[in-house]
Amino acid sequence: MWNAILSGVLFNISNILLVVGIDAAGMAVAFPVGVGLALVIGTVKSYVLTPQGNATLLTAGVALIVFAMIMSAIAHHRLGQAKQAKTFRGLAFSVVAGCLMGFFYPQLLAAVSPDFSNRALVAGLLTPYAALVLFAVGLLASNFVVNTIFMHAGQVTYRDYFHGRARLHSLGFLGGCIWMVALCMNVIASGVAGPAISYALGQGATLVAAIWGVFIWREFMHAPQGTWTFVTLMFAGYVIGLVLIGMASL
């Protein structure tokens, strides 16, 4: 039970750090770097604990994700020196967030019975649903401490929070609902595909975030000539890497 609760705490801290990184460096860079790093750490850690799937394809896929992260960082570096200090701070927060986020998933699955899909539960371990409830408890409880610290650092009060617009609050709740539904599906899928492959495929969010930052928020609109080569390589690395990871489960 404590493994599941601790996984929620780890995810909460890493997620807040990632939001700080996005604010400083932009969605197209901070999210791929942070979550991409989490993908690498979480996939390797999960595979070591439960070696399931084609190791060669899984390794190649993870390597391409790392390549995509590097291309993302280079592309953002070319945006101009005026943003370098803020970008470096954002990337630093994203790296720390990725390291912490990489350990939350193995920590969560350590609480789940490994053969739950066949209803052969191991005594003392949990079903995915019970583990996710405790994960949410750890996330919510730690937020009163962790978020308060970050709010104090940013000179924001709870009065400011409760004076926020209802629409903005609803977007936050919607984001949490989407994440929990997706995580629930991901943990259930791990019973078939294996924890490493399930987690790696679930981090396709990096590709979605990169698309959002590039084409919706247009973070590279004023980028110098040649930058789009690195952006294209970033997308290629993510797409091919995720395809290889998916093939590793066949």
Side-chain angles (χ1 to χ4, degrees):
M1 293 175 67
W2 283 110
N3 284 336
I5 293 173
L6 179 59
S7 69
V9 175
L10 287 174
F11 177 79
N12 184 37
I13 298 173
S14 65
N15 199 50
I16 292 177
L17 289 172
L18 182 59
V19 171
V20 175
I22 291 172
D23 182 59
M27 173 74 84
V29 173
F31 198 97
V33 169
V35 180
L37 183 60
L39 184 152
V40 174
I41 296 173
T43 301
V44 172
K45 178 72 173 176
S46 297
Y47 191 84
V48 170
L49 295 175
T50 309
Q52 187 175 340
N54 188 304
T56 301
L57 290 176
L58 189 60
T59 301
V62 170
L64 282 170
I65 298 296
V66 173
F67 169 78
M69 290 165 49
I70 295 173
M71 293 300 101
S72 175
I74 293 175
H76 206 280
H77 180 76
R78 294 171 60 88
L79 287 179
Q81 294 299 318
K83 292 185 176 181
Q84 291 309 306
K86 189 176 181 181
T87 299
F88 178 80
R89 186 175 77 249
L91 287 175
F93 276 111
S94 300
V95 168
V96 176
C99 291
L100 291 175
M101 192 176 292
F103 288 101
F104 103 86
Y105 191 79
Q107 187 72 30
L108 176 61
L109 287 191
V112 178
S113 181
D115 201 22
F116 65 85
S117 59
N118 295 321
R119 300 193 178 188
L121 299 179
V122 176
L125 295 179
L126 308 171
T127 65
Y129 308 105
L132 285 168
V133 169
L134 293 171
F135 168 87
V137 169
L139 195 157
L140 177 62
S142 65
N143 200 54
F144 289 104
V145 177
V146 178
N147 204 45
T148 300
I149 293 173
F150 277 87
M151 288 173 66
H152 179 74
Q155 297 182 336
V156 179
T157 66
Y158 278 102
R159 176 176 295 180
D160 296 327
Y161 173 81
F162 286 109
H163 277 83
R165 288 181 293 168
R167 179 179 177 275
L168 293 179
H169 287 299
S170 65
L171 289 174
F173 279 105
L174 178 61
C177 292
I178 292 173
W179 171 261
M180 284 302 294
V181 170
L183 180 60
C184 183
M185 293 180 180
N186 190 279
V187 173
I188 294 171
S190 69
V192 179
I197 294 173
S198 179
Y199 179 71
L201 286 177
Q203 296 304 326
T206 53
L207 177 60
V208 176
I211 292 173
W212 193 275
V214 172
F215 297 107
I216 305 300
W217 288 353
R218 300 181 181 275
E219 294 175 355
F220 291 94
M221 180 186 299
H222 303 294
Q225 187 176 5
T227 302
W228 279 94
T229 299
F230 296 101
V231 174
T232 302
L233 289 173
M234 174 188 72
F235 283 125
Y238 276 125
V239 171
I240 299 173
L242 290 171
V243 169
L244 291 178
I245 291 170
M247 292 174 60
S249 64
L250 300 177

